[in-house]
C-alpha cells in the first residue's frame, strides 16, 4: 500500500509512534510518505520505501500566525497526486485531521477519493482539543475521518465523553519493538557514569510538561534515597525542567540527580535502569512506561487514563492515585529493597511488554488500512 503519514516530528509520544509505525510498514514492503514540517527525530531514511516531504510555511509580514494547516493540506494534495497515495494516516487530531479533511475535499473536486484514518493520541482529546476554542473543529474533523483509532480504551471512553462523536472508534494500542533490546556488551562502562555499583538507578523520561507532575517525581525519589542508595535519571526537556533542578537543589539532592535533556541514548539509560517513574496527571497510554518495561524495568505510575492498560498493578509495577507520593515511594521501595523481588518485577515487566510487541500490533493497522481502502468499515 502507498500510505502518507502526518505527525508531529518532535520528541512527543505521538510522533514516535507514527515514525516507528511508518518504518515498520516500510520494512514490510509498503511505500511510506512522511509529511510534516521537519524530519521526525527517529526517522531513518535509509530505506527505499521511506520518503519524507517537508511542509514549508513561507514567512509573510502580514501573518501573525503562520497558516500551517493551509500549507499541510496543499502539500497533501500535491503528494497524493504525485505518488498515487492510497491512504492518509494522520496522528494527533489537531490540526492534522482538520488539514487532512481539507485535502480530501480538494482531491474530491479533482475526482480522487482518498480515505483518511485519524489516530487520537491523548492530549489532542483530554487537554488541548477539549478547549472551547478548538472543540467544534476537533469534533468535526474526527467525525469526518473515514476511520478513527485511539491508543487505549480509556482514550476512546474519554473521546465519547468529551465530544459529540458519531463514529466507531477502534482501539489499537501503542507498540514496542522488542528485538532491539539487546544489551551491547561494549557499553557496560556507561553504568558507572550514572551510578555506583551499590546504587539503584531510577529513571523518568518525558517532555517535562505540567501533566507529568515533575514535583511528584522528585518527591518520590527524595523519599526513596532516604532509605536506600539511589540515583535519579531525568531525561527530556520542557517547561518544568528548571523548577525540577531548583527543587533538587533545595532538597539537597542535586548530586543524586542527573538531568540529561533530550537524549538519543534512551536505550542505554533504560538498559541500566531498575525502576521507572510516571506519576502523570493524565496519560492516554504511557508509551515511555512501555519502553521502560521492554527493557525489563518495572514501573511506578499513577492510575490515570490508559496507564492501567499498560502497567499491571502488582505485576509489572504498581499504580496509585494521582498525587499519592507516599504510596508511590513505599511501592518503589518494596520493589527496590530486595534483589529477588526486583528480579521478579523485572521479569514480569518484560513479559507484559511482550503483549505490545510490534509483531502483534502492526497487523491490526495493516488490516484496518486494507478495510478502509476497500470501504469495508
Ligand atoms: O504526553 C506526552 O508526552 C506527549 C503526547 C503526544 O501527543 O505525543 O503523548 C500522548 O501520546 C502518546 C502516544 O500515543 C501516549 O503514550 C501518551 O500517554 C499521550 N500523553 C497524554 O495523554 C498526556
Amino acid at each position: 500500500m502507498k500510505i502518507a503519514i502526518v505527525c508531529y516530528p518532535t520528541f512527543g509520544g505521538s510522533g514516535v509512534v507514527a515514525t516507528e509505525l511508518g518504518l515498520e510498514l516500510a520494512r514490510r514492503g509498503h511505500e511510506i510518505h512522511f509529511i510534516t514540517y521537519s524530519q521526525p527525530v527517529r526517522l531513518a531514511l535509509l530505506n527505499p520505501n521511506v520518503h519524507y516531504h517537508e511542509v514549508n510555511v513561507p514567512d509573510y509580514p502580514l501573518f501573525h500566525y503562520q497558516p500551517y494547516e493551509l500549507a499541510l493540506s496543499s502539500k497533501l494534495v500535491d503528494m497524493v497526486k504525485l505518488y498515487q497515495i492510497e491512504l492518509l494516516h494522520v496522528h494527533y487530531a489537531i490540526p492534522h485531521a482538520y488539514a487532512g479533511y481539507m485535502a480530501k475535499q480538494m482531491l474530491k473536486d479533482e475526482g480522487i477519493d482518498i480515505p483518511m484514518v485519524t489516530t487520537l493520541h491523548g492530549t489532542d482529546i483530554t487537554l488541548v482539543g477539549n478547549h472551547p476554542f478548538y472543540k467544534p473543529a476537533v469534533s468535526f474533523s474526527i467525525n469526518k475521518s473515514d476511520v478513527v483509532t485511539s491508543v487505549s480504551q480509556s482514550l476512546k471512553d474519554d473521546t465519547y465523553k468529551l465530544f459529540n462523536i458519531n463514529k466507531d472508534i477502534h482501539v489499537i494500542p501503542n507498540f514496542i519493538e522488542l528485538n532491539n533490546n539487546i544489551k551491547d556488551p561494549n557499553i557496560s562502562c556507561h553504568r558507572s557514569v550514572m551510578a555506583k555499583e551499590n546504587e539503584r538507578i531510577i529513571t523518568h523520561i518525558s517532555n517535562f510538561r505540567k501533566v507529568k507532575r515533575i514535583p511528584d517525581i522528585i518527591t518520590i525519589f527524595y523519599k526513596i534515597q532516604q532509605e536506600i542508595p539511589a540515583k535519579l535519571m531525568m531525561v527530556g526537556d520542557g517547561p518544568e525542567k528548571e523548577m525540577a533542578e531548583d527543587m533538587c537543589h533545595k532538597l539537597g539532592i542535586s548530586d543524586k540527580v542527573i538531568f540529561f535533556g533530550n537524549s538519543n541514548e534512551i536505550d542505554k539509560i533504560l538498559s541500566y535502569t531498575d525502576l521507572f517513574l510516571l506519576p502523570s496527571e493524565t496519560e492516554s497510554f504511557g508509551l515511555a512506561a512501555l519502553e521502560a518495561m521492554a527493557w525489563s524495568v518495572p514501573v511506578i505510575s499513577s492510575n490515570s487514563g490508559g496507564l492501567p492498560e499498560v502497567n499491571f498493578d502488582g505485576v509489572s509495577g504498581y499504580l496509585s492515585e494521582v498525587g499519592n507520593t507516599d504510596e508511590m515511594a513505599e511501592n518503589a521501595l518494596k520493589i527496590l529493597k530486595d534483589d529477588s523481588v526486583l528480579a521478579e518485577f523485572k521479569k514480569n515487566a518484560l513479559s507484559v511488554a511482550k503483549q505490545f510487541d510490534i509483531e502483534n500490533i502492526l497487523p491490526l493497522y495493516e488490516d484496518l488500512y486494507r478495510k478502509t481502502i476497500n470501504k469495508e468499515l
Side-chain angles (χ1 to χ4, degrees):
M1 285 176 273
K2 293 184 181 186
I3 300 158
I5 292 184
V6 179
C7 63
Y8 282 105
T10 48
F11 277 90
S14 65
V16 169
V17 170
T19 310
E20 301 286 357
L21 173 64
L23 291 177
E24 186 57 27
L25 286 163
R27 269 180 229 120
R28 290 174 185 230
H30 301 288
E31 187 179 307
I32 304 301
H33 296 261
F34 287 95
I35 302 179
T36 180
Y37 58 81
S38 71
Q39 189 174 320
V41 281
R42 291 207 191 171
L43 188 60
L45 284 168
L46 287 175
N47 180 322
N49 286 333
V50 177
H51 306 264
Y52 162 59
H53 313 290
E54 188 164 309
V55 180
N56 291 304
V57 191
D59 218 356
Y60 186 66
L62 185 70
F63 298 148
H64 183 60
Y65 302 105
Q66 305 305 316
Y68 179 65
E69 292 87 320
L70 222 64
L72 174 59
S73 52
S74 297
K75 188 80 180 185
L76 285 170
V77 168
D78 290 345
M79 294 304 106
V80 166
K81 289 198 290 192
L82 188 63
Y83 293 99
Q84 289 93 47
I85 286 167
E86 296 164 273
L87 181 130
L88 303 180
H89 187 176
V90 303
H91 290 260
Y92 209 86
I94 310 167
H96 300 147
Y98 193 74
Y101 173 72
M102 289 315 295
K104 261 176 81 74
Q105 291 307 103
M106 285 186 264
L107 288 160
K108 203 173 182 182
D109 249 19
E110 299 188 36
I112 300 169
D113 179 18
I114 178 103
M116 176 169 79
V117 175
T118 297
T119 291
L120 309 174
H121 278 274
T123 45
D124 45 353
I125 296 301
T126 52
L127 284 184
V128 192
N130 189 27
H131 194 284
F133 291 172
Y134 297 123
K135 206 167 177 172
V138 174
S139 309
F140 174 83
S141 39
I142 293 175
N143 282 325
K144 291 291 179 188
S145 303
D146 295 277
V147 171
V148 181
T149 77
S150 75
V151 298
S152 64
Q153 180 61 43
S154 144
L155 182 59
K156 174 177 173 168
D157 297 343
D158 283 344
T159 309
Y160 284 129
K161 236 182 277 158
L162 297 168
F163 295 87
N164 193 5
I165 299 299
N166 57 28
K167 290 205 86 71
D168 191 14
I169 298 177
H170 303 257
V171 177
I172 302 187
N174 289 331
F175 49 82
I176 192 83
E177 200 169 344
L178 282 157
N179 296 341
N180 287 344
N181 295 9
I182 298 158
K183 210 179 263 187
D184 178 351
N186 299 318
I187 62 165
S188 56
C189 59
H190 290 285
R191 193 192 189 278
S192 60
V193 176
M194 296 191 268
K196 295 190 196 114
E197 205 46 53
N198 68 331
E199 289 171 325
R200 297 291 197 205
I201 297 181
I202 298 159
T203 297
H204 170 76
I205 304 174
S206 79
N207 44 25
F208 286 61
R209 285 176 298 127
K210 274 222 163 344
V211 70
K212 305 291 171 185
R213 295 185 68 98
I214 301 295
D216 285 6
I217 292 157
I218 314 280
T219 307
I220 298 164
F221 175 71
Y222 182 74
K223 291 173 206 237
I224 295 172
Q225 59 81 46
Q226 285 180 317
E227 303 262 334
I228 57 166
K231 285 271 167 67
L232 175 64
M233 310 296 129
M234 295 289 272
V235 185
D237 206 351
E240 296 278 282
K241 190 171 159 230
E242 227 180 280
M243 176 280 303
E245 283 168 323
D246 275 1
M247 193 172 163
C248 292
H249 183 69
K250 282 188 190 124
L251 290 169
I253 53 168
S254 295
D255 58 331
K256 295 184 179 178
V257 185
I258 303 178
F259 286 89
F260 284 85
N262 286 327
S263 172
N264 286 321
E265 297 187 301
I266 283 175
D267 285 356
K268 280 185 198 165
I269 297 167
L270 286 176
S271 74
Y272 292 112
T273 295
D274 297 300
L275 191 78
F276 191 80
L277 299 179
L278 196 62
S280 307
E281 185 78 37
T282 158
E283 201 71 67
S284 70
F285 183 87
L287 185 65
L290 177 60
E291 290 194 322
M293 286 158 60
W295 279 102
S296 303
V297 179
V299 174
I300 293 292
S301 71
S302 67
N303 58 8
S304 76
L307 280 168
E309 295 172 52
V310 182
N311 182 21
F312 299 172
D313 196 33
V315 180
S316 55
Y318 287 106
L319 299 150
S320 300
E321 290 295 324
V322 173
N324 192 345
T325 52
D326 282 343
E327 189 182 279
M328 290 183 196
E330 269 165 38
N331 286 337
L333 286 164
K334 249 191 246 170
I335 295 175
L336 292 173
K337 268 188 167 168
D338 185 314
D339 281 346
S340 63
V341 176
L342 178 59
E344 185 62 21
F345 272 91
K346 276 179 173 272
K347 192 175 82 198
N348 292 345
L350 178 60
S351 86
V352 174
K354 281 181 180 161
Q355 297 177 22
F356 298 91
D357 190 344
I358 195 164
E359 298 292 327
N360 302 332
I361 309 298
L362 201 103
L364 304 178
Y365 275 115
E366 280 179 310
D367 186 50
L368 189 94
Y369 293 157
R370 265 190 211 102
K371 288 184 172 145
T372 307
I373 290 171
N374 297 333
K375 298 193 185 310
E376 289 167 18
L377 287 171

